[in-house]
Amino acid sequence: MIDLTGKNALVTGIANNRSIAWGIAQQLHQAGANLGITYLPDDKGRFEKKVWEVVEPIKPSLFLPCNVEDDAQIQSVFTAIGEKWDKLDILIHCLAFADKDGLSGDFSSSPRQTFSKALDISAYSLVALSGAAKPLMTQGGSIVTLSYLGGVRVIPNYNVMGIAKAALEMNVRYLASELGPLNVRVNGISAGPIRTLASSAVGGILDMIHHVEKTAPLRRTVTQTEVGNTAAFLCSDLASGITGQVLYVDSGYSIMGM
Ligand code: 0WE
């Protein structure tokens, strides 16, 4: 079995109990990792309360606010990790956002601000978090991010997020190249569509899921647990030779031409 005992893992991107990030956190915990969790702070503290309710059973040793649009919050997270943990081994990046006007209609009508905000939150944040994690990953490490097929092929309405995922996947390669000599591996998981808070807000997601159920080789969608198991593998010594890759966890959907 996958063994992550003695490893410290920071997981970003949990919004509720359907989040892919929660599937990953649970599998890392099951493999014996010590967890830190970040949440998106809001003025009413709703997310903090919600995310805490979700993660409470796995007893995270760190629970920190982190809005990746704010450099100071990113720095605070890694300062806290440096004070609490002897080293950081694992960084899980499950963050994405595009305004609604970047997720439907004519792609050529995407507003500049929507485009730059989506790239900032969904792609630049991996660069910023990896740069802040680098000095703490003193015994090597593993960084895993979540991507989607819409970053390499045209998926209707994915629009601005597709460009953000393309940038994210290229970030994986540049970061893998830089951090490889430190024995820090950087990989992505391209997950098939799953019903989550983020995807449920998207019109037509159920039709997409039905399409996958009809056409993917496995004739079903993937689960958060399956993505979590792949992340646990990538973070383990079993994946010691894998870096700069994007692994598809999509029931095989992406191999089909028709
Ligand atoms: O990456 C994603 C979704 C990320 C996402 C979702 C939202 C909805 C609410 C980013 N920003 C927002 N902004 C909001 O206001 N997926 C892979 C799920 C997804 O999103 C789609 C998809 C699929 C699949 C959007 C259009 C078409 C397909």
Side-chain angles (χ1 to χ4, degrees):
M1 274 308 299
I2 288 167
D3 181 16
L4 299 175
T5 52
K7 293 193 195 284
N8 296 316
L10 184 72
V11 178
T12 65
I14 299 175
N16 64 24
N17 62 359
R18 276 178 152 177
S19 297
I20 298 174
W22 173 232
I24 295 174
Q26 287 175 95
Q27 297 317 116
L28 299 182
H29 170 74
Q30 201 180 10
N34 178 41
L35 292 202
I37 303 290
T38 70
Y39 60 90
L40 180 64
D42 60 287
D43 21 80
K44 295 197 168 155
R46 281 205 215 100
F47 258 120
E48 176 176 7
K49 185 167 179 287
K50 176 84 232 171
V51 178
W52 177 253
E53 283 169 16
V54 172
V55 302
E56 205 266 338
I58 63 171
K59 306 266 176 274
S61 72
L62 283 169
F63 186 68
L64 302 162
C66 186
N67 179 340
V68 293
E69 289 181 284
D70 181 355
D71 289 329
Q73 290 187 37
I74 295 175
Q75 203 39 63
S76 298
V77 167
F78 289 91
T79 300
I81 291 173
E83 285 167 2
K84 182 107 181 178
W85 292 348
D86 55 339
K87 61 182 167 58
L88 176 66
D89 304 283
I90 294 165
L91 170 64
I92 305 292
H93 175 276
C94 306
L95 306 170
F97 182 81
D99 287 321
K100 287 253 155 59
D101 56 8
L103 289 173
S104 67
D106 289 340
F107 174 64
S108 65
S109 300
S110 306
R112 185 189 300 268
Q113 170 64 14
T114 296
F115 187 97
S116 58
K117 185 177 179 184
L119 272 282
D120 182 32
I121 297 175
S122 313
Y124 176 72
S125 62
L126 180 67
V127 180
L129 293 176
S130 298
K134 178 179 174 180
L136 301 176
M137 289 188 154
T138 51
Q139 309 268 75
S142 176
I143 299 174
V144 175
T145 187
L146 284 184
S147 193
Y148 177 59
L149 185 61
V152 296
R153 301 229 280 265
V154 175
I155 304 283
N157 298 320
Y158 200 60
N159 293 17
V160 163
M161 271 309 305
I163 285 68
K165 291 304 192 188
L168 181 75
E169 293 189 11
M170 207 61 220
N171 283 342
V172 166
R173 300 185 187 99
Y174 274 90
L175 290 167
S177 171
E178 176 191 334
L179 301 176
L182 305 174
N183 198 31
V184 175
R185 298 178 294 101
V186 186
N187 293 289
I189 296 173
S190 186
I194 298 179
R195 280 175 80 173
T196 65
L197 182 65
S199 74
S200 300
V202 168
I205 190 72
L206 279 181
D207 293 336
M208 292 186 57
I209 285 171
H210 289 140
H211 177 68
V212 168
E213 289 169 349
K214 277 184 294 186
T215 58
L218 297 181
R219 297 289 191 274
R220 61 175 180 83
T221 53
V222 294
T223 64
Q224 288 86 338
T225 304
E226 289 176 309
V227 177
N229 281 330
T230 303
F233 162 70
L234 284 173
C235 294
S236 77
D237 296 343
L238 294 176
S240 56
I242 302 177
T243 195
Q245 304 303 309
V246 179
L247 261 72
Y248 282 75
V249 179
D250 68 344
S251 302
Y253 178 79
S254 60
I255 69 166
M256 303 303 290
M258 273 280 273

